[in-house]
Amino acid sequence: MELELEGTDLRAVLNRLRRAQGQITGVIRMIEEGRDCEDVVTQLAAASRALDRAGFAIIASGLQRCVIDMESGRRDGEEPEAVRARLEKLFLSLA
């Protein structure tokens, strides 16, 4: 399945990823500066949440595309059970 994000969805995912990138850069700097452990962990948690949200947005887009494909009958010969198993694996990869 190809990643098909457009317009607002694409901007939202890219913004989340850029935010996470900035937070990770901040974490590296904080560690290099010997900052407080609690501050570092708080920043790491924020970066993790940003990455999770981007991943979930991508999966939601994939689910939407699959539903549209299933309804229109354009499946490239893939059985619905195989699609379900593949999507379940994607969800579990973020769990």
Side-chain angles (χ1 to χ4, degrees), residues 25-93:
T25 299
V27 168
I28 292 169
R29 187 175 47 252
M30 292 169 78
I31 292 171
E32 290 173 343
E33 294 171 355
R35 297 274 300 271
D36 182 64
C37 177
E38 186 175 342
D39 293 340
V40 172
V41 171
T42 299
Q43 197 67 12
L44 273 174
S48 178
R49 281 191 305 275
L51 288 172
D52 286 345
R53 290 182 65 119
F56 287 131
I58 290 168
I59 288 176
S61 175
L63 285 173
Q64 183 178 20
R65 180 85 253 151
C66 284
V67 168
I68 291 168
D69 287 351
M70 286 167 66
E71 288 176 354
S72 67
R74 293 176 302 156
R75 248 300 128 262
D76 293 332
E78 190 173 22
E79 294 294 323
E81 294 81 18
V83 174
R84 181 176 174 262
R86 193 161 35 91
L87 291 172
E88 186 177 330
K89 182 177 177 183
L90 280 173
F91 261 141
L92 291 173
S93 70

